[in-house]
Amino acid sequence: MQRMGLPLGRATDEALLSGLTTGDPEIAVAFVRRFQRIVFGVAIAVVGDPQLAEDIAQQTFERAWRHAQIYDSRRGSVKTWLTTIAHNLAIDAVRARRASPVAPEDLDALLDIVTDTPEQQALADETSARIRSAVAALPREQARALVMAGIYGMTAQQIAEFERIPLGTAKTRIRTATRKLRTTLGTEASRR
Amino acid sequence: MSAMTCDRLKELAPELALGVLPAQERARAVAHLDRCAGCREYVEQLTLVGDGLLGLLPGTEPPVGFETRVVDRLSRSRPAPPRRLRLRVAAAAAAVACAFGFGGWAVGTALDDAPAPLSAQDQGHPALLQAALVANGHEVGRIFAYPGSPGWVYMSVDLVGLEKGAGEKVHCRLERSDGTTVPVGSFTLKGGYGYWGAPAPVDAATVSGAQLLAADGSVLATAHFPPRDAPS
């Protein structure tokens, strides 16, 4: 595996994904090594249980391997594709296992993480930095609704019960927050 | 039950894009999207918000041994390779059938032109090669060539807007530094777009580029792999 370490380490994400379909174990190692922190990070953030998160992360790579041929680079990066797979699996697991998708302390902790803006993160990815700033600029109740829906997969009804607010208010918070972030992304796209 | 209008869809779009719209409303919304390009575009934009939000989650190191466990799991899921077929071409064709099912745009029947061996593979230089596919001075795709064992070629092509090659079978061949070429396969573009991969013997020491040819043999695009250091 060391034989291929450096060259495969420099291969593009798309090339590694396509190479995964050949069944070459060295490519599989390189692919997993590149994305395992991201995939596991999504899984653990949603489910909070390391054992379950590992199982979800493993399933994510298995699914990516099985469906690599339908990946379409025009619809997003390999990273985003994998993240979405992991997220969907994690949400399914949460819905299957827990009546309450999130504990209040977990929500606040995650909200702090996604709105925190350490310099190195801002420098690492401009798009993420802009989204992070946009989330941080939201009224707290809108940001909570957005995180509950977008990350924990909670429906408006669940958010209404969790926050003890009318259903219409929960829907409005999700809608307003999402549209504000869309405006942020749209502004960024128009600048490029 | 009232019909789904564009105004109503736009109200529901954030929940739809974040994947939390209840099933019944979701079904009605998706049915509306099937016939409304404007709303589809709107929802796609909102989907980027959800993707961006997930992108804020910090990476976390998985437990020790995770990488090995995943790769083991993948290898257990893999169909056993065909043992009886010894001929390179036959083995390559079987590998195509097993490993590349490129559906949709795909292309996948790679070996209607049987690939001729380039030369003895240089196992000492297995760096993945890649280069832009260029047509009329513009990048129209990328090609990756892997000189390991088994070797393979993969490419994505977007000829949308070009008159030639937009909806036809195209052929790929590798170029060697001595000017000779070797066919590695064919595939069909859908609306000018497609991606394709196939096992192919790639000799890192001699391969210099690639050509994408139209059905009539004219060159649609070319690629030149960056020069590599000569083996010592």
Side-chain angles (χ1 to χ4, degrees):
Chain A
M1 292 183 193
Q2 290 178 347
R3 177 172 66 91
M4 287 300 301
L6 283 176
L8 285 177
R10 289 197 295 268
T12 64
D13 296 347
E14 187 185 43
L16 272 188
L17 179 63
S18 66
L20 201 61
T21 62
T22 65
D24 186 327
E26 294 174 2
I27 296 176
V29 167
F31 187 81
V32 173
R33 189 170 292 165
R34 182 173 297 183
F35 292 108
Q36 61 183 357
R37 289 188 80 254
I38 294 164
V39 168
F40 188 75
V42 170
I44 193 73
V46 176
V47 303
D49 173 349
Q51 187 61 48
L52 180 57
E54 174 169 346
D55 191 45
I56 288 164
Q58 286 193 14
Q59 287 182 48
T60 301
F61 284 109
E62 200 167 1
R63 193 165 289 197
W65 173 74
R66 288 187 190 286
H67 299 288
Q69 68 271 22
I70 60 169
Y71 164 74
D72 183 350
S73 60
R74 295 175 301 178
R75 293 180 180 273
S77 66
V78 173
K79 176 186 166 185
T80 300
W81 185 63
L82 282 173
T83 301
T84 303
I85 294 173
H87 186 241
N88 289 340
L89 289 169
I91 295 298
D92 287 346
V94 165
R95 286 175 180 165
R97 293 184 181 210
R98 292 212 304 244
S100 176
V102 61
E105 61 272 21
D106 290 346
L107 173 63
D108 286 333
L110 190 61
L111 196 53
D112 287 341
I113 289 171
V114 300
T115 55
D116 189 18
T117 56
E119 188 180 5
Q120 67 273 21
Q121 289 179 340
L123 290 173
D125 185 334
E126 188 181 351
T127 301
S128 291
R130 288 185 186 284
I131 296 173
R132 193 182 299 276
S133 298
V135 176
L138 291 172
R140 188 76 173 179
E141 69 274 11
Q142 288 180 17
R144 285 167 63 92
L146 184 67
V147 166
M148 280 189 273
I151 293 180
Y152 288 112
M154 293 169 68
T155 64
Q157 183 65 49
Q158 288 174 310
I159 293 171
E161 290 167 5
F162 187 89
E163 299 283 62
R164 298 180 182 174
I165 55 176
L167 175 60
T169 303
K171 284 178 171 287
T172 300
R173 288 179 184 176
I174 296 170
R175 191 160 57 230
T176 306
T178 309
R179 286 175 177 168
K180 283 180 181 173
L181 261 67
R182 178 212 170 211
T183 303
T184 300
L185 289 171
T187 304
E188 186 194 6
S190 65
R191 253 199 301 266
R192 286 201 290 259
Chain B
M1 188 181 294
S2 60
M4 180 69 69
T5 63
C6 291
D7 287 343
R8 177 66 179 145
L9 189 286
K10 284 189 166 57
E11 278 185 29
L12 299 175
E15 290 169 75
L16 179 65
L18 296 177
V20 296
L21 195 61
Q24 195 171 9
E25 286 182 302
R26 179 181 178 81
R28 293 173 55 215
V30 170
H32 177 85
L33 293 184
D34 279 346
R35 58 180 186 276
C36 182
C39 287
R40 208 158 51 233
E41 164 73 18
Y42 183 69
V43 171
E44 283 177 6
Q45 288 177 15
L46 293 183
T47 302
L48 297 178
V49 172
D51 292 345
L53 199 58
L54 291 179
L56 300 184
L57 294 175
T60 304
E61 205 64 46
V64 173
F66 174 80
E67 178 182 300
T68 305
R69 289 191 289 276
V70 172
V71 174
D72 285 349
R73 194 158 154 166
L74 295 184
S75 63
R76 280 200 304 274
S77 303
R78 186 155 52 99
R83 290 179 178 277
R84 289 184 298 114
L85 304 177
R86 302 301 298 172
L87 293 174
R88 177 178 293 280
V89 171
V96 169
C98 293
F100 294 93
F102 288 119
W105 289 287
V107 190
T109 55
L111 301 175
D112 54 344
D113 292 328
L118 286 170
S119 68
Q121 290 192 20
D122 183 354
Q123 299 292 346
H125 296 79
L128 182 67
L129 308 173
Q130 62 168 303
L133 277 163
V134 176
N136 299 331
H138 299 287
E139 183 171 332
V140 295
R142 291 199 76 77
I143 180 169
F144 304 91
Y146 177 61
S149 179
W152 49 264
V153 170
Y154 169 85
M155 71 179 69
S156 59
V157 186
D158 188 351
L159 293 175
V160 176
L162 295 186
E163 288 181 13
K164 207 165 174 51
E168 63 180 41
K169 192 170 189 177
V170 293
H171 306 273
C172 173
R173 65 188 185 193
L174 294 179
E175 291 179 302
R176 291 186 289 208
S177 48
D178 64 2
T180 58
T181 61
V182 179
V184 290
S186 304
F187 59 98
T188 304
L189 301 178
K190 297 274 181 69
Y193 178 80
Y195 54 92
W196 166 81
V202 178
D203 186 341
T206 61
V207 67
S208 60
Q211 295 175 339
L212 193 66
L213 307 173
D216 63 4
S218 59
V219 177
L220 293 169
T222 58
H224 299 285
F225 296 118
R228 294 168 299 283
D229 294 335
S232 56

